[in-house]
Amino acid sequence: MLYSIKMRAAQGGDHKLGGQHISGAERILAEENLKKMAEAMIERALLHSRGKADFINLKIEAIRPQDIERIKLLPIFTHEVDTIQEGRKSAIQILKESGVSTQAILAGLHLLEELKTSMRGAMIVDAVSGKRLDQLTMRGVRVSKMDMDDEEDFLLWLNRQNLTDVHVREAVVLAAKVVAHQDVTAELCWSDDPEYVTGYVANKTGYHRITKLKEYGSFIGGRIFFVKPDAAIEEVIDYLQNQPVLAVGRG
Ligand code: WAQ
Ligand code: MG
Ligand code: MG
Ligand code: MG
């Protein structure tokens, strides 16, 4: 039997009561690995670069094997840039090639740039009009119930590309789940961890890391999921939050 294990941590109390988001994590694991992961997740919440959590929610749910969907990992590309301006330009170019309109790209960037604090989840934006489509305000859509199918193989694959940071590990799996949905055109992301400035654009054909998308020291990060104009939003949100997926392959 496999289990979904999720952690969300905040400072100033529960997210739902206005606490500031500190850290979140989601994995799918065998029963014998749950205890160790719970411990690691608690430690992560208490020792995070965003601050020390005073609220931690851990949720563990069994997953029926027949409910699990297999998805493909994306090939990883790294675009080296020297400045944020160059990084944003590169992101805009890749989003254009993914089929996101200029108007929607600028709207998405603006939504991220005008955040005053970080969200726990992502914003969903129409890939043509640029209109925000989810009604989840500062919570956003939190993608959950995803993991890699074979962790050892996955880590070897990343190591061979000199990608050893946990940010990469988690984002590669998340992006694979997000863009596997037929209604998702692309994703734009940068971290809310102050020391982590590499972000990415993911689309159907790849995970494009961009080595500088935000200012070092900034506590503001976020994610935009660009979706087709005729997307069934409630179904997309349900898939992202609730459909268990395991990522297979080596991009
Ligand atoms: N579902 C939806 N949105 C999320 C999730 C999730 N599970 N996790 C984080 N977010 C949103 C939320 O708004 C956060 O503030 C923001 O994304 C950043 O989250 O290849 O570490 O976990 O070198 O800080 C990307 C580049 C790292 C990795 C991204 O994001 C690489 C990262 P963080
Ligand atoms: Mg996090
Ligand atoms: Mg994360
Ligand atoms: Mg973070």
Side-chain angles (χ1 to χ4, degrees):
M1 183 64 99
L2 290 174
Y3 292 81
S4 152
I5 176 168
K6 309 194 264 193
M7 180 278 288
R8 61 181 173 90
Q11 194 178 70
D14 191 341
H15 295 93
K16 292 176 178 166
L17 301 172
Q20 285 297 308
H21 180 64
I22 295 292
S23 174
E26 33 279 308
R27 299 290 303 266
I28 293 175
L29 300 170
E31 182 174 347
E32 63 264 27
N33 297 323
L34 286 174
K35 248 172 86 174
K36 225 176 97 188
M37 186 54 67
E39 194 177 319
M41 285 180 173
I42 291 167
E43 185 165 304
R44 168 172 173 160
L46 294 174
L47 297 173
H48 205 275
S49 64
R50 288 177 55 72
K52 190 180 176 74
D54 56 24
F55 172 89
I56 304 170
N57 180 299
L58 263 181
K59 188 170 185 175
I60 299 174
E61 298 164 276
I63 291 180
R64 300 189 311 170
Q66 65 267 33
D67 291 340
I68 297 173
E69 201 176 288
R70 255 76 186 178
I71 56 160
K72 272 205 175 133
L73 287 165
L74 300 162
I76 302 173
F77 305 96
T78 299
H79 305 253
E80 299 276 352
V81 296
D82 293 324
T83 62
I84 299 172
Q85 290 67 33
E86 213 188 309
R88 300 268 171 104
K89 237 176 99 177
S90 172
I92 289 168
Q93 184 56 36
I94 300 162
L95 285 166
K96 269 187 193 159
E97 289 162 9
S98 316
V100 184
S101 76
T102 303
Q103 185 178 329
I105 295 167
L106 297 179
L109 279 169
H110 187 69
L111 281 167
L112 289 179
E113 282 160 357
E114 74 182 357
L115 285 173
K116 299 283 181 284
T117 62
S118 275
M119 297 167 60
R120 157 158 63 110
M123 295 182 266
I124 298 187
V125 169
D126 184 305
V128 174
S129 72
K131 190 171 169 274
R132 183 169 174 192
L133 298 175
D134 66 278
Q135 312 281 322
L136 294 165
T137 59
M138 280 309 285
R139 176 187 185 277
V141 179
R142 183 87 197 178
V143 187
S144 184
K145 301 206 175 157
M146 70 283 191
D147 212 323
M148 52 297 228
D149 186 47
D150 180 338
E151 182 167 24
E152 198 179 309
D153 189 55
F154 176 74
L155 294 179
L156 277 172
W157 175 67
L158 287 181
N159 274 332
R160 275 200 306 277
Q161 303 174 76
N162 282 318
L163 299 171
T164 53
D165 195 286
V166 65
H167 292 85
V168 185
R169 249 186 262 167
E170 295 183 343
V172 163
V173 174
L174 185 150
K177 178 173 183 182
V178 172
V179 304
H181 194 286
Q182 58 177 14
D183 289 342
V184 175
T185 308
E187 176 189 356
L188 169 66
C189 163
W190 60 82
S191 183
D192 58 7
D193 300 3
E195 76 288 0
Y196 206 81
V197 300
T198 298
Y200 68 87
V201 172
N203 59 25
K204 302 289 182 199
T205 55
Y207 174 89
H208 299 269
R209 311 176 63 235
I210 299 166
T211 55
K212 200 167 200 298
L213 271 184
K214 73 157 202 194
E215 204 63 66
Y216 184 88
S218 164
F219 283 73
I220 315 276
R223 283 181 152 92
I224 305 282
F225 302 155
F226 293 98
V227 299
K228 295 181 182 161
D230 55 355
I233 284 306
E234 291 313 315
E235 277 167 42
V236 175
I237 293 175
D238 183 52
Y239 162 82
L240 294 170
Q241 294 183 342
N242 303 317
Q243 171 64 50
V245 308
L246 289 177
V248 297
R250 293 151 167 249

